[in-house]
Amino acid sequence: MVSKSDQLLIVVSILEGRHFPKRPKHLLIVEAKFDGEQLATDPVEHIDQPEFATELAWEIDRKALHQHRLQRTPIKLQCFALEPVSSAKETIGYIVLDLRTAQETKQAPKWYQLLSNKYTKFKTEIQIGIALETDTKAPMDSFKAKGAPPRDGKVPASLSGLDPKDIVVVLNEEGGYHQIGPAEYCSDSFIMSVTIAFATQLEQLIPCTMKLPERQPEFFFYYSLLGNDVTNEPFNDLINPNFEPERASVRIRSSIEILRVYLALQSKLQIHLCCGDQSLGSTEVPLTGLLKKGSTEINQRPVTVEGAFILDPPNRAKQKLAPIPVELAPTVGVSVALQREGIDAQSLIELKTQNEHELQHSKKRVLTPIKEKTLTGPKSPRVSPVPPQNPSPPTKDDATGSEVESLQYDKDTKPNPKAVGPSVPASVAQPVPASHASETASGQKIAVPATSHHFCFSIDLRSIHDLEVGFPINCILRYSYPFFGSAAPIMTNPPIEVRKNMEVFLPQSYCAFDFATLPHQLQDTFLRIPLLVELWHKDKMSKDLLLGIARIQLSNVLSSEKTRFLGSSGEQCWRQTYSESVPFIAAQGSNNRIMDLSYTVTLEDYGLVKMREILVSDSSQGLSAVQQKPPSVPPAPCPSEVQTEPRETLEYKAALELEMWKEMQEDIFENQLKQKELAHMQALAEEWKKRDREREALVKKKVAEYTVLEGKLQKTLIDLEKREQQLVLAESEVQRERKELKLERERNLQELQDSIRRSKEDCVHQVELERLKMRQLEEDKLRLQQQLNDAENKYKILEKEFLQFKDQQSNKPEIRLQSEINLLTLEKVELERKLESATKSKLHYKQQWGRALKELARLKQREQESQMAHLKKQQEELEQMRLRYLAAEEKDTVKTERQELLDIRNELNRLRQQEQKQYQDSREIASGKLDSPRGNALEEGLDDYLTRLIEERDTLMRTGVYNHEDRIISELDRQIREVLAKNNASN
């Protein structure tokens, strides 16, 4: 017999509602709570008949279900009215479901009325179904970052006496470890660690309809490791999630075989991205790849499962969300490691560094500081996120180079302050003139991430030419590219005059930017954001005027040829240079070309940078440092001098020193204001860049959604065109059929009119014929009437003559004798007829008697062969039946038959007497065959009774209802035998 699964699902189906008042600016939501776990439906419109169409499920085993049923644990459903703007929830009512009504057989849903209903004038109801389903979830074999073996929950032969249900996690607080399995099997110590290293594209998990808290929301990753709830440090920016990689580790006491069985049973680690108590997305990390069957790798080195896993929003199928492109899919970098406690952590670092060298082809790697977190028991209240859906399997190729590098281990390194995010440039660059491009000044120190590259990007706006407008312009060029680290605009100076048909070279148009960022981020930024160069007309008499804008696509430099050169420290560097001309397009009015700009851009890659601090150059600080030096004190005047110059007196020098001090303080104050302005400008630039990135991310997401919607719209339009063509064809077909029907109707109408006309003509002709016949018949009638009158007159005359003749003849004796002879002749003929009838009846009775004898012989043979025993057993019952059912009928029948026999006997006696008198020969023949009149009458009565019994029995048998074993047929057979016996005895 197949045992039922111990894991069940309590499924509550919330289908629809009715009798709700319509509230346009509100939504309806139903929250269900069972055993401390709360689930909720998706918000729906607050209308009269809302459709929820949601299933809520709780996992439970049969033992716990039995306990809940004994305790009568309820399932409470609360209905709320949700205001989308303020997110305020208003209680409408609640419903309490009895868990004991849930059965494993499918039941029809029922309508439940809301208790404590806010809408007292409405009988508000919700249609709910509750059922139990067997939990048959199978592991998703395709969901894995590395090759993972299929799930195997069987106990190996060495542990044949161990039940998989006994392999549970038990916390040993004294020893500070978690024990998996029975104590007698737990002989080895292990360390399991989970590291969340990075995350990308998290903004894709925020639906457009979701309203985040007005204050700066905090996001964090949550997962449960051997019953311990773990969350990482919260972060606020979804577009550039900036958090330190954290590793949570637990000590385990178990054995390799038991641990392999446990990991097969608990095959996946669920990781949720949460905001407060709400899960924005989740993924599952397979754990079966840690301990593969038959592998002894853990005895030499730690085993890991790592990669970039795609986060899926909850209820993707129910929300009918469009699929997200792979390049925009939200991912989280996770590494799960398992090692024996005796293996040094340094070997793990060396192993991972070696693997990364093989993957990245000898690129230099720097270990990222990882925050350690050791778990010895439950630490924080568990977050109850929405149950995740099955995510699609990510691949390791989805991770960028920096993401792979961040999956490093450095147990001895102390965590450093959070570095600047990868999308934020690491240094703030200032425009450098061509003659001072190599100078360096001291300034603000900014930390650069270890995975960034050191780039130097230079822009040289060479010349402008081919002026299209008819008047000369006094122009400057202006541009700004915050990605290079400076939000301040770069401008050429001084203004230059440009006329038609001339080329002018721009002064002070070279600028170089030193910054650090990730290569893929540089490429992405250059592809997405072009450099906009503004053309301004400077006029002393009027305000500056923006004439046009030139778009420089910086990604072109990435496709140019690379040249190698040696840096200042002897390292190999790469340089790419690109030159072209772009047009200035009019900023206002028609998009006409104003003139062309020739430029040259150069990108130099100095390779990876280490953790170091880059100085922010500021030309004003150098000047301040010089001015802050106190002036040297002049030597005291010689007392021997009698005459002193006015400029060398102490008062003059004191006044001069005071004025210089004032000027120096003014310069210091001015420099401080410039520094504050620069700091504010940098803060504004950072905020602007952040908002710009958010807008770009939202635009990307909207573009992806609109692309999907555009595809659906195109498909719908194609379907509509096909449908319109079909409708046109159908309409033309209808028009054709309508014309045919109209012609058919006219033809039928014409035929009907012709038929009516012909019928009228036939009727008129028929009436004329009938009138002619009528006149003819009237004439015949008159003629026949006349003949009838003549015949009647003749009849009367003949009748009178016949009466007279009759009277004359009746008086003659011959006539009277003749009449007597005629009467006797008639009587004779009648007697002969009766004699012939009696003779025929006698022959018929003899034939029936012969048939009865044959039937009797067959009945005797049948009874002797098959029914002798059965007839003997039922003889008494048949006798009672005969007395009960046939008594009344036999009485009437006997009386009637007796009367008939007496009449027949009297008639026969009378006939015999007449025959004896008239026909002596016939009497002798009759007296020779019939012994006596009494015996003949008795014999003929028995023959009639026997014939009637046989016919009655045959009639019943022909109906098919009775057979020879039935009582009534047996009774008739018995009576037939008795009559035959009497007849034989009389013969």
Side-chain angles (χ1 to χ4, degrees), residues 26 45 119 171 184 254 296 303 361 408 492 511 514 571 634 636 641 659 662 898:
H26 288 75
E45 295 182 9
Y119 309 124
L171 175 63
E184 59 269 17
S254 183
T296 60
V303 290
H361 300 287
Q408 303 293 337
T492 61
C511 187
D514 281 289
E571 71 274 10
E641 293 181 358
E659 290 298 328
K662 287 182 180 180
R898 285 180 180 176

Side-chain angles (χ1 to χ4, degrees), residues 282-315:
S282 63
T283 186
E284 293 184 355
V285 181
L287 301 179
T288 52
L290 291 174
L291 291 177
K292 298 180 181 179
K293 192 171 183 181
S295 175
T296 60
E297 183 182 359
I298 193 172
N299 295 325
Q300 290 82 24
R301 61 181 66 87
V303 290
T304 60
V305 171
E306 62 185 16
F309 297 89
I310 297 178
L311 292 165
D312 272 3
N315 298 329

